[in-house]
Amino acid sequence: ELRRVVEGEMAALAARRATKSQLAALRRTLATVDAATESGELGVEEDLAFHRAIGEATGNPQFLRLLAVLEDYTRDAMTVVKGYESMRADFMEQVRNEHRAILAAIAAGDEKAARRAAIKHHRNGEERLVASGVIRPASA
């Protein structure tokens, strides 16, 4: 929930503020995520770098500081999530598509779409964990 809130707003701000060089950095980091997972790795460090690049694209250094504070927790959680996702090709493709949607919305300068895509990415991650039997569904 915390990452969903923070990263949704980061994506929206990045859509508003990202420079051409920051967009290029986002594309490069996303390519490294894809390369890592295609080679059979979990791609945790690469995925973290993608999310940091979004933080950088906000133009607000406080987001990078917050991400640094959260990074150990995020790394551990992401390792678990990616471990389960890596067992299913459909999950891995979903994550790839979600990352691409976030980047596309940021590159288009569409704040609302960027926020929605980032929030959807985190909600879908939770659903993938439920489907994998790792966590119980959140009570309504």
Side-chain angles (χ1 to χ4, degrees):
E1 291 171 338
L2 175 66
R3 287 188 63 208
R4 188 180 330 143
V5 170
V6 170
E7 295 193 30
E9 195 57 29
M10 277 183 6
L13 290 170
R16 183 185 321 157
R17 300 175 179 165
T19 65
K20 287 181 183 180
S21 65
Q22 289 167 333
L23 289 172
L26 279 165
R27 288 183 183 98
R28 281 191 307 274
T29 59
L30 189 51
T32 65
V33 174
D34 290 344
T37 56
E38 287 169 11
S39 70
E41 299 172 34
L42 292 180
V44 171
E45 294 305 320
E46 294 82 359
D47 201 322
L48 287 169
F50 175 67
H51 290 274
R52 278 193 305 271
I54 295 171
E56 179 72 34
T58 69
N60 183 336
Q62 299 307 319
F63 281 108
L64 291 175
R65 289 185 178 117
L66 178 59
L67 290 176
V69 169
L70 297 174
E71 195 158 282
D72 284 340
Y73 156 78
T74 303
R75 181 179 289 107
D76 291 345
M78 196 178 283
T79 300
V80 170
V81 171
K82 285 185 159 291
Y84 282 95
E85 289 172 347
S86 70
M87 292 185 230
R88 292 193 41 184
D90 59 327
F91 282 1
M92 291 177 64
E93 188 61 25
Q94 288 170 13
V95 172
R96 224 178 262 125
N97 289 335
E98 290 163 14
H99 281 159
R100 288 180 188 136
I102 294 167
L103 176 56
I106 291 171
D110 189 335
E111 295 175 48
K112 289 179 182 179
R115 183 181 293 111
R116 278 192 311 269
I119 290 169
K120 182 179 180 181
H121 175 53
H122 287 284
R123 284 202 172 120
N124 288 351
E126 182 178 331
E127 290 175 13
R128 286 187 286 271
L129 286 176
V130 170
S132 298
V134 178
I135 62 173
R136 292 182 184 173
S139 57

